[in-house]
Amino acid sequence: MLTPTPPVLCYHRIGGPLELGVTRVGRSTFARQMTALARAGWRTLTLEQFVQRADVPSCNEFLLTFDDGYASLAEHAYPVLADLGFTATTFLITDYVGKANTWDVRYTWNRLKHLSWSQIEQWRARGLEFASHGATHRRLTWLDDAAIETELRGSRETLTTRLGPIAGRAVAYPFGAVNPRVLGIAQRAGYELGFGGVRGGEGGNPLQLPRVPVYCWDVGAVPFGLRDDGIGVLGRTVAHVANRCAVGTTIMQNFTRRSAPLPESVAGV
Ligand SMILES: [Zn+2]
């Protein structure tokens, strides 16, 4: 696959309770952004189309992705997409499908639910795609080889068993954290596409593709990741910095794994 690839937007949670973190985007903001993009002629791509378009760049097409697979997507995001004829790829934390988000620092009063397998199957039948975000959302670059293998291979196996071989095609590395060791293990595990941070890897490696996260401050009609003006460049830089700052979240996660959940904490990603 050659570069440049079409732009990739990454949302996390849409709607639902407010949080102390930065990754929640309100339902009305999301609906406004998607509607504005559709009216401006933008179209979303399937993963297969995304791979094909990498060699033949075309305008006004993007890959829409969601990380973490929160249950609120089925309520607040997917119906908006269905109305507009848009598709998306959702990266699931496979050990937490149908469960509460105890893998994360607690940014909300109550724990949040993840999509269940039946919801996932229902929306897959309507044209949405699902892929891997690891088995337990651990920062892969801080793990030894065996643990990385368990995360990547384990989640891929779960997905292909439940949803078929297509679901084993892509991975979004938790926190966008990736290094040559992780890339090698992802490749050996059978992934074809991997999504990292805002900047992506050297030489257009298909296992380290760039994505632009949409954070809570990205409320304009066209998210920063799809703007090629100065505001878009600035917004992507801010997103890059916020993504790097997410290291704080990982430290908190490691801490809370060993102790009782903390009530609230610093903003993270
Ligand atoms: Zn995530």
Side-chain angles (χ1 to χ4, degrees):
M1 186 161 71
L2 304 174
T3 49
T5 52
V8 185
L9 285 189
C10 167
Y11 287 86
H12 290 77
R13 199 156 65 82
I14 307 297
L18 295 171
E19 66 175 35
L20 294 177
V22 299
T23 58
R24 177 191 177 277
V25 171
R27 180 193 170 116
S28 58
T29 300
F30 178 75
R32 183 158 44 80
Q33 289 177 336
M34 292 303 115
T35 306
L37 291 173
R39 286 204 185 123
W42 283 87
R43 289 183 51 245
T44 51
L45 298 167
T46 63
L47 283 175
E48 178 58 32
Q49 290 168 335
F50 176 76
V51 170
Q52 290 164 4
R53 296 302 194 280
D55 299 338
V56 190
S58 83
C59 294
N60 287 7
E61 291 181 327
F62 70 107
L63 187 71
L64 175 61
T65 69
F66 297 97
D67 277 8
D68 306 334
Y70 281 111
S72 61
L73 292 175
E75 195 180 338
H76 301 300
Y78 296 164
V80 173
L81 302 182
D83 283 349
L84 295 170
F86 275 11
T87 187
T89 300
T90 303
F91 294 97
L92 302 170
I93 308 163
T94 51
D95 282 7
Y96 285 86
V97 169
K99 298 179 185 161
N101 69 333
T102 50
W103 58 270
D104 198 6
V105 174
R106 218 172 94 185
Y107 290 119
T108 49
W109 187 255
N110 291 314
R111 283 292 180 181
L112 302 164
K113 282 279 280 186
H114 289 286
L115 292 165
S116 66
W117 285 115
S118 66
Q119 286 175 306
I120 290 164
E121 278 157 8
Q122 184 194 330
W123 282 100
R124 193 184 55 138
R126 296 183 66 178
L128 299 192
E129 294 186 282
F130 294 88
S132 170
H133 197 36
T136 64
H137 207 284
R138 299 178 75 187
R139 182 179 285 265
L140 300 177
T141 50
W142 291 8
L143 303 179
D144 62 26
D145 287 8
I148 299 172
E149 181 109 12
T150 303
E151 285 288 320
L152 292 181
R153 226 175 252 284
S155 63
R156 187 169 184 276
E157 249 171 55
T158 305
L159 285 162
T160 53
T161 305
R162 295 288 313 210
L163 305 175
I166 292 289
R169 195 166 191 189
V171 57
Y173 310 103
F175 309 100
V178 70
N179 61 19
R181 219 158 45 87
V182 173
L183 289 177
I185 294 171
Q187 186 173 27
R188 286 198 297 283
Y191 292 104
E192 290 169 56
L193 299 171
F195 295 91
V198 179
R199 298 271 152 89
E202 300 281 305
N205 184 344
L207 282 170
Q208 196 180 357
L209 298 165
R211 282 194 306 172
V212 182
V214 183
Y215 293 132
C216 56
W217 55 77
D218 196 349
V219 295
V222 177
F224 298 136
L226 299 182
R227 295 177 66 136
D228 51 15
D229 57 5
I231 292 172
V233 172
L234 178 66
R236 288 194 290 277
T237 304
V238 171
H240 175 67
V241 172
N243 191 233
R244 300 300 292 236
C245 291
V247 74
T249 301
T250 315
I251 293 167
M252 294 304 288
Q253 282 176 330
N254 287 344
F255 179 74
T256 53
R257 266 201 186 94
R258 291 192 294 270
S259 60
L262 292 173
E264 276 98 28
S265 69
V266 293
V269 179

